[in-house]
mmCIF file of all heavy atoms in Angstrom:
data_model
loop_
_atom_site.group_PDB
_atom_site.id
_atom_site.type_symbol
_atom_site.label_atom_id
_atom_site.label_comp_id
_atom_site.label_asym_id
_atom_site.label_seq_id
_atom_site.Cartn_x
_atom_site.Cartn_y
_atom_site.Cartn_z
ATOM 1 N N ASN A 107 6.437 -16.017 -38.806
ATOM 2 C CA ASN A 107 6.315 -17.065 -39.802
ATOM 3 C C ASN A 107 6.827 -18.403 -39.278
ATOM 4 O O ASN A 107 7.989 -18.527 -38.904
ATOM 5 C CB ASN A 107 7.088 -16.656 -41.050
ATOM 6 C CG ASN A 107 6.888 -17.617 -42.193
ATOM 7 O OD1 ASN A 107 6.152 -18.591 -42.094
ATOM 8 N ND2 ASN A 107 7.558 -17.345 -43.299
ATOM 9 N N CYS A 108 5.932 -19.378 -39.287
ATOM 10 C CA CYS A 108 6.331 -20.734 -38.893
ATOM 11 C C CYS A 108 6.231 -21.681 -40.080
ATOM 12 O O CYS A 108 6.317 -22.894 -39.909
ATOM 13 C CB CYS A 108 5.493 -21.227 -37.709
ATOM 14 S SG CYS A 108 3.740 -21.325 -38.000
ATOM 15 N N GLY A 109 6.022 -21.135 -41.269
ATOM 16 C CA GLY A 109 5.927 -21.971 -42.456
ATOM 17 C C GLY A 109 4.505 -22.417 -42.715
ATOM 18 O O GLY A 109 3.541 -21.752 -42.329
ATOM 19 N N ASN A 110 4.371 -23.566 -43.356
ATOM 20 C CA ASN A 110 3.062 -24.101 -43.709
ATOM 21 C C ASN A 110 2.252 -24.442 -42.461
ATOM 22 O O ASN A 110 2.799 -24.913 -41.466
ATOM 23 C CB ASN A 110 3.204 -25.362 -44.560
ATOM 24 C CG ASN A 110 3.775 -25.074 -45.922
ATOM 25 O OD1 ASN A 110 3.623 -23.982 -46.454
ATOM 26 N ND2 ASN A 110 4.447 -26.062 -46.490
ATOM 27 N N VAL A 111 0.956 -24.215 -42.564
ATOM 28 C CA VAL A 111 0.036 -24.619 -41.498
ATOM 29 C C VAL A 111 -0.276 -26.092 -41.734
ATOM 30 O O VAL A 111 -1.140 -26.437 -42.529
ATOM 31 C CB VAL A 111 -1.247 -23.746 -41.504
ATOM 32 C CG1 VAL A 111 -2.228 -24.248 -40.472
ATOM 33 C CG2 VAL A 111 -0.896 -22.283 -41.281
ATOM 34 N N ASP A 112 0.480 -26.940 -41.032
ATOM 35 C CA ASP A 112 0.334 -28.383 -41.240
ATOM 36 C C ASP A 112 -0.077 -29.131 -39.975
ATOM 37 O O ASP A 112 -0.233 -30.349 -39.996
ATOM 38 C CB ASP A 112 1.634 -28.973 -41.799
ATOM 39 C CG ASP A 112 2.840 -28.749 -40.890
ATOM 40 O OD1 ASP A 112 2.673 -28.245 -39.748
ATOM 41 O OD2 ASP A 112 3.965 -29.076 -41.322
ATOM 42 N N GLY A 113 -0.233 -28.403 -38.865
ATOM 43 C CA GLY A 113 -0.645 -29.047 -37.624
ATOM 44 C C GLY A 113 0.459 -29.830 -36.945
ATOM 45 O O GLY A 113 0.199 -30.586 -36.009
ATOM 46 N N ILE A 114 1.699 -29.643 -37.385
ATOM 47 C CA ILE A 114 2.839 -30.337 -36.786
ATOM 48 C C ILE A 114 3.735 -29.311 -36.102
ATOM 49 O O ILE A 114 4.252 -28.397 -36.747
ATOM 50 C CB ILE A 114 3.636 -31.125 -37.844
ATOM 51 C CG1 ILE A 114 2.729 -32.145 -38.533
ATOM 52 C CG2 ILE A 114 4.856 -31.786 -37.226
ATOM 53 C CD1 ILE A 114 3.349 -32.783 -39.761
ATOM 54 N N PHE A 115 3.909 -29.465 -34.807
ATOM 55 C CA PHE A 115 4.742 -28.536 -34.024
ATOM 56 C C PHE A 115 6.194 -28.990 -34.157
ATOM 57 O O PHE A 115 6.722 -29.743 -33.350
ATOM 58 C CB PHE A 115 4.302 -28.546 -32.562
ATOM 59 C CG PHE A 115 4.773 -27.366 -31.755
ATOM 60 C CD1 PHE A 115 3.855 -26.601 -31.065
ATOM 61 C CD2 PHE A 115 6.114 -27.021 -31.665
ATOM 62 C CE1 PHE A 115 4.256 -25.511 -30.298
ATOM 63 C CE2 PHE A 115 6.542 -25.944 -30.905
ATOM 64 C CZ PHE A 115 5.602 -25.189 -30.222
ATOM 65 N N GLY A 116 6.819 -28.519 -35.239
ATOM 66 C CA GLY A 116 8.216 -28.839 -35.508
ATOM 67 C C GLY A 116 9.118 -27.674 -35.134
ATOM 68 O O GLY A 116 8.711 -26.730 -34.444
ATOM 69 N N GLU A 117 10.325 -27.723 -35.631
ATOM 70 C CA GLU A 117 11.323 -26.712 -35.286
ATOM 71 C C GLU A 117 10.938 -25.318 -35.774
ATOM 72 O O GLU A 117 11.156 -24.334 -35.074
ATOM 73 C CB GLU A 117 12.697 -27.113 -35.841
ATOM 74 C CG GLU A 117 13.833 -26.201 -35.404
ATOM 75 C CD GLU A 117 14.007 -26.092 -33.882
ATOM 76 O OE1 GLU A 117 13.671 -27.045 -33.145
ATOM 77 O OE2 GLU A 117 14.460 -25.028 -33.433
ATOM 78 N N ASN A 118 10.349 -25.204 -36.975
ATOM 79 C CA ASN A 118 9.935 -23.884 -37.470
ATOM 80 C C ASN A 118 8.877 -23.266 -36.567
ATOM 81 O O ASN A 118 8.907 -22.071 -36.284
ATOM 82 C CB ASN A 118 9.405 -23.974 -38.896
ATOM 83 C CG ASN A 118 10.493 -24.237 -39.906
ATOM 84 O OD1 ASN A 118 11.668 -24.015 -39.643
ATOM 85 N ND2 ASN A 118 10.110 -24.732 -41.074
ATOM 86 N N THR A 119 7.940 -24.080 -36.109
ATOM 87 C CA THR A 119 6.898 -23.576 -35.208
ATOM 88 C C THR A 119 7.519 -23.201 -33.870
ATOM 89 O O THR A 119 7.193 -22.150 -33.305
ATOM 90 C CB THR A 119 5.784 -24.631 -35.028
ATOM 91 O OG1 THR A 119 5.220 -24.917 -36.316
ATOM 92 C CG2 THR A 119 4.693 -24.126 -34.092
ATOM 93 N N ARG A 120 8.424 -24.020 -33.361
ATOM 94 C CA ARG A 120 9.077 -23.702 -32.086
ATOM 95 C C ARG A 120 9.822 -22.376 -32.169
ATOM 96 O O ARG A 120 9.740 -21.539 -31.271
ATOM 97 C CB ARG A 120 10.025 -24.827 -31.682
ATOM 98 C CG ARG A 120 10.595 -24.646 -30.266
ATOM 99 C CD ARG A 120 11.476 -25.832 -29.873
ATOM 100 N NE ARG A 120 12.813 -25.731 -30.422
ATOM 101 C CZ ARG A 120 13.792 -24.989 -29.894
ATOM 102 N NH1 ARG A 120 13.591 -24.291 -28.798
ATOM 103 N NH2 ARG A 120 14.972 -24.948 -30.479
ATOM 104 N N GLN A 121 10.542 -22.179 -33.255
ATOM 105 C CA GLN A 121 11.283 -20.920 -33.436
ATOM 106 C C GLN A 121 10.327 -19.727 -33.512
ATOM 107 O O GLN A 121 10.590 -18.665 -32.941
ATOM 108 C CB GLN A 121 12.171 -20.990 -34.686
ATOM 109 C CG GLN A 121 13.343 -21.935 -34.559
ATOM 110 C CD GLN A 121 14.340 -21.480 -33.506
ATOM 111 O OE1 GLN A 121 14.605 -20.297 -33.341
ATOM 112 N NE2 GLN A 121 14.873 -22.444 -32.766
ATOM 113 N N ALA A 122 9.207 -19.895 -34.225
ATOM 114 C CA ALA A 122 8.218 -18.819 -34.325
ATOM 115 C C ALA A 122 7.612 -18.519 -32.954
ATOM 116 O O ALA A 122 7.412 -17.347 -32.592
ATOM 117 C CB ALA A 122 7.124 -19.196 -35.325
ATOM 118 N N VAL A 123 7.328 -19.560 -32.185
ATOM 119 C CA VAL A 123 6.796 -19.371 -30.830
ATOM 120 C C VAL A 123 7.804 -18.601 -29.987
ATOM 121 O O VAL A 123 7.440 -17.656 -29.267
ATOM 122 C CB VAL A 123 6.442 -20.729 -30.170
ATOM 123 C CG1 VAL A 123 6.189 -20.570 -28.677
ATOM 124 C CG2 VAL A 123 5.229 -21.348 -30.850
ATOM 125 N N MET A 124 9.066 -18.968 -30.076
ATOM 126 C CA MET A 124 10.098 -18.290 -29.283
ATOM 127 C C MET A 124 10.231 -16.814 -29.678
ATOM 128 O O MET A 124 10.360 -15.945 -28.805
ATOM 129 C CB MET A 124 11.424 -19.025 -29.420
ATOM 130 C CG MET A 124 11.403 -20.382 -28.722
ATOM 131 S SD MET A 124 12.855 -21.419 -29.032
ATOM 132 C CE MET A 124 14.155 -20.429 -28.337
ATOM 133 N N ARG A 125 10.154 -16.528 -30.971
ATOM 134 C CA ARG A 125 10.202 -15.123 -31.415
ATOM 135 C C ARG A 125 8.993 -14.359 -30.876
ATOM 136 O O ARG A 125 9.112 -13.224 -30.414
ATOM 137 C CB ARG A 125 10.271 -15.038 -32.941
ATOM 138 C CG ARG A 125 11.617 -15.469 -33.516
ATOM 139 C CD ARG A 125 11.750 -15.137 -35.005
ATOM 140 N NE ARG A 125 10.676 -15.659 -35.838
ATOM 141 C CZ ARG A 125 10.646 -16.881 -36.358
ATOM 142 N NH1 ARG A 125 11.640 -17.724 -36.153
ATOM 143 N NH2 ARG A 125 9.631 -17.256 -37.112
ATOM 144 N N TYR A 126 7.820 -14.990 -30.954
ATOM 145 C CA TYR A 126 6.600 -14.366 -30.438
ATOM 146 C C TYR A 126 6.728 -14.124 -28.937
ATOM 147 O O TYR A 126 6.434 -13.033 -28.447
ATOM 148 C CB TYR A 126 5.376 -15.242 -30.730
ATOM 149 C CG TYR A 126 4.120 -14.679 -30.128
ATOM 150 C CD1 TYR A 126 3.432 -13.642 -30.751
ATOM 151 C CD2 TYR A 126 3.628 -15.149 -28.914
ATOM 152 C CE1 TYR A 126 2.292 -13.094 -30.190
ATOM 153 C CE2 TYR A 126 2.485 -14.611 -28.346
ATOM 154 C CZ TYR A 126 1.833 -13.586 -28.985
ATOM 155 O OH TYR A 126 0.705 -13.032 -28.416
ATOM 156 N N GLN A 127 7.152 -15.133 -28.192
ATOM 157 C CA GLN A 127 7.296 -14.996 -26.745
ATOM 158 C C GLN A 127 8.250 -13.861 -26.398
ATOM 159 O O GLN A 127 7.951 -13.040 -25.522
ATOM 160 C CB GLN A 127 7.779 -16.313 -26.128
ATOM 161 C CG GLN A 127 6.731 -17.407 -26.166
ATOM 162 C CD GLN A 127 7.280 -18.776 -25.803
ATOM 163 O OE1 GLN A 127 8.423 -19.111 -26.132
ATOM 164 N NE2 GLN A 127 6.458 -19.575 -25.124
ATOM 165 N N SER A 128 9.379 -13.789 -27.067
ATOM 166 C CA SER A 128 10.344 -12.704 -26.816
ATOM 167 C C SER A 128 9.724 -11.344 -27.065
ATOM 168 O O SER A 128 9.935 -10.401 -26.298
ATOM 169 C CB SER A 128 11.581 -12.871 -27.701
ATOM 170 O OG SER A 128 12.333 -13.979 -27.291
ATOM 171 N N SER A 129 8.940 -11.241 -28.135
ATOM 172 C CA SER A 129 8.334 -9.958 -28.490
ATOM 173 C C SER A 129 7.280 -9.510 -27.481
ATOM 174 O O SER A 129 6.931 -8.336 -27.429
ATOM 175 C CB SER A 129 7.711 -10.031 -29.884
ATOM 176 O OG SER A 129 6.479 -10.727 -29.849
ATOM 177 N N ARG A 130 6.772 -10.445 -26.704
ATOM 178 C CA ARG A 130 5.718 -10.129 -25.725
ATOM 179 C C ARG A 130 6.230 -10.158 -24.292
ATOM 180 O O ARG A 130 5.455 -10.143 -23.347
ATOM 181 C CB ARG A 130 4.543 -11.115 -25.861
ATOM 182 C CG ARG A 130 3.846 -11.127 -27.220
ATOM 183 C CD ARG A 130 3.373 -9.738 -27.633
ATOM 184 N NE ARG A 130 2.474 -9.731 -28.764
ATOM 185 C CZ ARG A 130 2.831 -9.577 -30.030
ATOM 186 N NH1 ARG A 130 4.104 -9.441 -30.341
ATOM 187 N NH2 ARG A 130 1.933 -9.552 -31.002
ATOM 188 N N GLY A 131 7.543 -10.206 -24.120
ATOM 189 C CA GLY A 131 8.126 -10.173 -22.781
ATOM 190 C C GLY A 131 7.992 -11.470 -22.011
ATOM 191 O O GLY A 131 8.092 -11.477 -20.781
ATOM 192 N N LEU A 132 7.787 -12.560 -22.723
ATOM 193 C CA LEU A 132 7.672 -13.868 -22.086
ATOM 194 C C LEU A 132 8.999 -14.618 -22.195
ATOM 195 O O LEU A 132 9.812 -14.328 -23.073
ATOM 196 C CB LEU A 132 6.573 -14.695 -22.765
ATOM 197 C CG LEU A 132 5.160 -14.134 -22.719
ATOM 198 C CD1 LEU A 132 4.239 -14.931 -23.630
ATOM 199 C CD2 LEU A 132 4.635 -14.128 -21.296
ATOM 200 N N LEU A 133 9.196 -15.591 -21.329
ATOM 201 C CA LEU A 133 10.361 -16.455 -21.416
ATOM 202 C C LEU A 133 10.283 -17.229 -22.731
ATOM 203 O O LEU A 133 9.315 -17.961 -22.962
ATOM 204 C CB LEU A 133 10.381 -17.440 -20.241
ATOM 205 C CG LEU A 133 11.488 -18.488 -20.256
ATOM 206 C CD1 LEU A 133 12.839 -17.818 -20.038
ATOM 207 C CD2 LEU A 133 11.230 -19.534 -19.183
ATOM 208 N N PRO A 134 11.273 -17.067 -23.604
ATOM 209 C CA PRO A 134 11.214 -17.740 -24.913
ATOM 210 C C PRO A 134 11.631 -19.204 -24.820
ATOM 211 O O PRO A 134 12.728 -19.585 -25.207
ATOM 212 C CB PRO A 134 12.188 -16.921 -25.759
ATOM 213 C CG PRO A 134 13.174 -16.390 -24.770
ATOM 214 C CD PRO A 134 12.418 -16.171 -23.493
ATOM 215 N N ASP A 135 10.717 -20.042 -24.315
ATOM 216 C CA ASP A 135 11.024 -21.459 -24.135
ATOM 217 C C ASP A 135 10.475 -22.334 -25.257
ATOM 218 O O ASP A 135 10.729 -23.535 -25.289
ATOM 219 C CB ASP A 135 10.533 -21.950 -22.780
ATOM 220 C CG ASP A 135 9.025 -21.835 -22.590
ATOM 221 O OD1 ASP A 135 8.311 -21.411 -23.534
ATOM 222 O OD2 ASP A 135 8.552 -22.152 -21.483
ATOM 223 N N GLY A 136 9.672 -21.754 -26.155
ATOM 224 C CA GLY A 136 9.129 -22.523 -27.270
ATOM 225 C C GLY A 136 7.969 -23.422 -26.898
ATOM 226 O O GLY A 136 7.515 -24.205 -27.713
ATOM 227 N N VAL A 137 7.473 -23.294 -25.674
ATOM 228 C CA VAL A 137 6.335 -24.082 -25.195
ATOM 229 C C VAL A 137 5.135 -23.151 -25.075
ATOM 230 O O VAL A 137 5.241 -22.072 -24.474
ATOM 231 C CB VAL A 137 6.642 -24.738 -23.832
ATOM 232 C CG1 VAL A 137 5.421 -25.466 -23.291
ATOM 233 C CG2 VAL A 137 7.828 -25.691 -23.958
#
Side-chain angles (χ1 to χ4, degrees):
N107 186 1
C108 61
N110 292 333
V111 175
D112 59 7
I114 301 169
F115 198 126
E117 186 58 28
N118 289 341
T119 301
R120 188 177 81 81
Q121 290 295 323
V123 167
M124 290 172 63
R125 288 190 306 274
Y126 176 80
Q127 290 169 324
S128 290
S129 77
R130 300 305 192 267
L132 299 170
L133 175 68
D135 61 3
V137 176

